[in-house]
Amino acid sequence: DIQMTQSPSSLSASVGDRVTITCRASQGISNYLAWFQQKPGKAPKSLIYAASSLQSGVPSKFSGSGSGTDFTLTISSLQPEDFATYYCQQYNSYPWTFGQGTKVEIK
Amino acid sequence: EVQLVQSGAEVKKPGESLKISCKGSGYSFTSYWIGWVRQMPGKGLEWMGIIYPGDSDTRYSPSFQGQVTISADKSISTAYLQWSSLKASDTAMYYCARLFHSNYLYFDYWGQGTLVTVSS
């Protein structure tokens, strides 16, 4: 199985900050990587697919990059509604696997 | 508007059977894969498996193969996740999600989740 490791596991940031979350795959997955946002008590929301393509309706303050084994999710200017847990997921090969999550909290 | 509406919360005893559902609307149900994802209390997301309602082609994660059954009834645009004998460790939130397909499959729309509690 491909292991997905996110860092950091949690971070504290202020409104307006630029935030970057890293996701590393245990082997190359090309660009078959997705990012999700999950708020407490809510279903995940799809943000990005193919490492850098925004899902329909997702604001452009979210961006993704990377290929192979190293990927990043960046939020350009953190807003109150962005405080949540973020997950990466590889869909290069079965079984699909998720990172452990990164919790973004208010400083 | 694409919607996935899941069945309501369930409370069951160990050893009981259960089937939860996920009804799709606003798109051609038979043309998109549906996936199931588990989230245990306070934990992360785990991929369980997927089904193509058009022909019921199914793929399972090895972690869930033999533990659950994924099925679909295309006549009513509904996918299912079922257990024949629940365990306390099956207590979790279960999400269904639609998969968009280009070269590969990836999640786009999610259901609201079904909470399953297994307790004696």
Side-chain angles (χ1 to χ4, degrees):
Chain A
D1 299 4
I2 297 174
Q3 290 241 49
M4 306 301 293
T5 304
Q6 290 181 230
S7 59
S9 294
S10 65
L11 65 90
S12 295
S14 300
V15 172
D17 283 354
R18 180 182 180 90
V19 167
T20 297
I21 299 168
T22 296
C23 178
R24 175 164 288 174
S26 60
Q27 59 188 265
I29 58 170
S30 184
N31 68 333
Y32 299 118
L33 184 102
W35 289 97
F36 306 94
Q37 176 194 64
Q38 188 178 33
K39 297 181 180 179
K42 300 293 187 183
K45 175 185 176 183
S46 299
L47 296 178
I48 286 172
Y49 65 95
S52 61
S53 297
L54 286 184
Q55 289 277 3
S56 175
V58 173
S60 58
K61 62 182 172 180
F62 292 97
S63 63
S65 66
S67 184
T69 60
D70 295 313
F71 302 86
T72 59
L73 172 71
T74 298
I75 309 170
S76 59
S77 177
L78 204 63
Q79 297 303 304
E81 63 271 18
D82 302 327
F83 291 94
T85 299
Y86 293 85
Y87 295 92
C88 63
Q89 179 237 335
Q90 67 81 18
Y91 52 95
N92 177 76
S93 62
Y94 297 122
W96 297 343
T97 44
F98 290 87
Q100 82 279 14
T102 295
K103 188 173 184 178
V104 177
E105 298 176 299
I106 301 172
K107 183 183 274 186
Chain B
E1 179 195 7
V2 173
Q3 281 196 306
L4 295 171
V5 178
Q6 298 186 230
S7 50
E10 302 274 1
V11 179
K12 291 289 190 180
K13 291 181 168 28
E16 291 186 333
S17 62
L18 175 65
K19 192 173 191 177
I20 63 174
S21 65
C22 169
K23 182 173 176 62
S25 62
Y27 71 100
S28 174
F29 184 75
T30 54
S31 300
Y32 290 81
W33 292 76
I34 292 279
W36 288 94
V37 172
R38 182 175 78 173
Q39 188 167 39
M40 299 178 77
K43 302 298 185 183
L45 305 171
E46 300 173 88
W47 174 67
M48 301 177 72
I50 56 174
I51 187 166
Y52 188 70
D55 61 7
S56 291
D57 187 11
T58 310
R59 314 281 162 83
Y60 290 93
S61 165
S63 298
F64 293 94
Q65 178 89 47
Q67 308 305 308
V68 298
T69 301
I70 295 171
S71 61
D73 184 341
K74 59 186 179 183
S75 69
I76 54 171
S77 301
T78 301
Y80 300 98
L81 178 66
Q82 69 180 96
W83 295 260
S84 58
S85 181
L86 286 160
K87 302 185 277 288
S89 57
D90 293 317
T91 295
M93 182 72 82
Y94 294 88
Y95 295 102
C96 66
R98 194 185 79 161
L99 289 146
F100 190 85
H101 51 89
S102 54
N103 290 332
Y104 277 68
L105 298 168
Y106 55 85
F107 293 114
D108 57 2
Y109 292 91
W110 293 72
Q112 84 277 16
T114 296
L115 179 62
V116 174
T117 303
V118 183
S119 174
S120 54

